Amino acid sequence: GAFRTLVRPIQQGGCAEYNDEGDIIFQEDSSLSVPYVLNGWIFALFGIHDYALVTGESKVWQLWTDGVRSLQKYLPLYDCGYFSLYNLDRGRLRNPASTFYHTVHILQLEILQRLTGEDVFGNYAVRWRKFLESPVCRLRAMVHKVIFKALKY
């Protein structure tokens, strides 16, 4: 079913990337056309959390724990100093989130902080909300988004 596809490795047609460091990165889709989409990764974690609540299976709870730990490790890479990044695309131009997705990221992090008790999620939510409230940060993100789109497409 859908859960098996989510946790199946990308190389086998799934949406999970497992690396040598023990990290699990949940991709929005198996094509990797837009890799490491932050909101997709967090929504996948929410789905795993809900599935764990329903099934109570220890292996599902372990996926949740490992996924949260991995996100904590990678989260600083999504902070460009004035906004959140929509995704990570190694070796390429950074892609600032739109105001809509930046707001989604903030709300997702607030929920993750409540679910996990991990301050890192709440701290980034507060930081990113300050970026959202700053006209300078919003303008800078918009300009960089336009440049990204012009060069990418």
Side-chain angles (χ1 to χ4, degrees):
F3 180 75
R4 279 190 232 126
T5 299
L6 175 65
V7 300
R8 185 178 303 131
I10 291 272
Q11 300 84 345
Q12 298 172 14
C15 293
E17 182 179 320
Y18 300 86
N19 67 25
D20 294 337
E21 298 170 9
D23 300 320
I24 304 173
I25 301 156
F26 294 103
Q27 302 291 346
E28 198 164 76
D29 66 64
S30 61
S31 73
L32 289 179
S33 58
V34 181
Y36 307 101
V37 174
L38 182 56
N39 75 85
W41 185 352
I42 297 173
F43 279 133
L45 286 174
F46 290 164
I48 292 167
H49 182 268
D50 290 350
Y51 192 68
L53 287 173
V54 170
T55 66
E57 293 180 26
S58 61
K59 66 180 181 181
V60 180
W61 280 115
Q62 189 60 53
L63 279 168
W64 159 254
T65 300
D66 292 345
V68 167
R69 179 191 45 77
S70 299
L71 180 62
Q72 286 176 297
K73 180 179 173 181
Y74 282 80
L75 193 56
L77 300 176
Y78 288 93
D79 186 319
C80 65
Y82 56 88
F83 234 57
S84 60
L85 296 176
Y86 178 75
N87 71 304
L88 300 179
D89 201 350
R90 295 182 184 141
R92 299 196 181 150
L93 191 62
R94 296 192 317 176
N95 183 11
S98 65
T99 301
F100 173 81
Y101 279 108
H102 184 74
T103 304
V104 168
H105 295 159
I106 293 165
L107 296 171
Q108 288 178 315
L109 291 175
E110 290 171 346
I111 293 167
L112 276 173
Q113 197 279 325
R114 279 185 243 136
L115 290 175
T116 66
E118 296 291 339
D119 289 338
V120 66
F121 298 123
N123 293 341
Y124 273 100
V126 167
R127 177 176 165 83
W128 290 356
R129 188 167 299 283
K130 288 178 184 173
F131 293 162
L132 184 62
E133 293 167 354
S134 165
V136 172
C137 290
R138 285 195 317 272
L139 178 62
R140 187 172 177 193
M142 184 182 68
V143 168
H144 282 103
K145 186 71 162 180
V146 168
I147 291 169
F148 173 84
K149 294 258 186 191
L151 294 175
K152 181 82 174 179
Y153 302 104

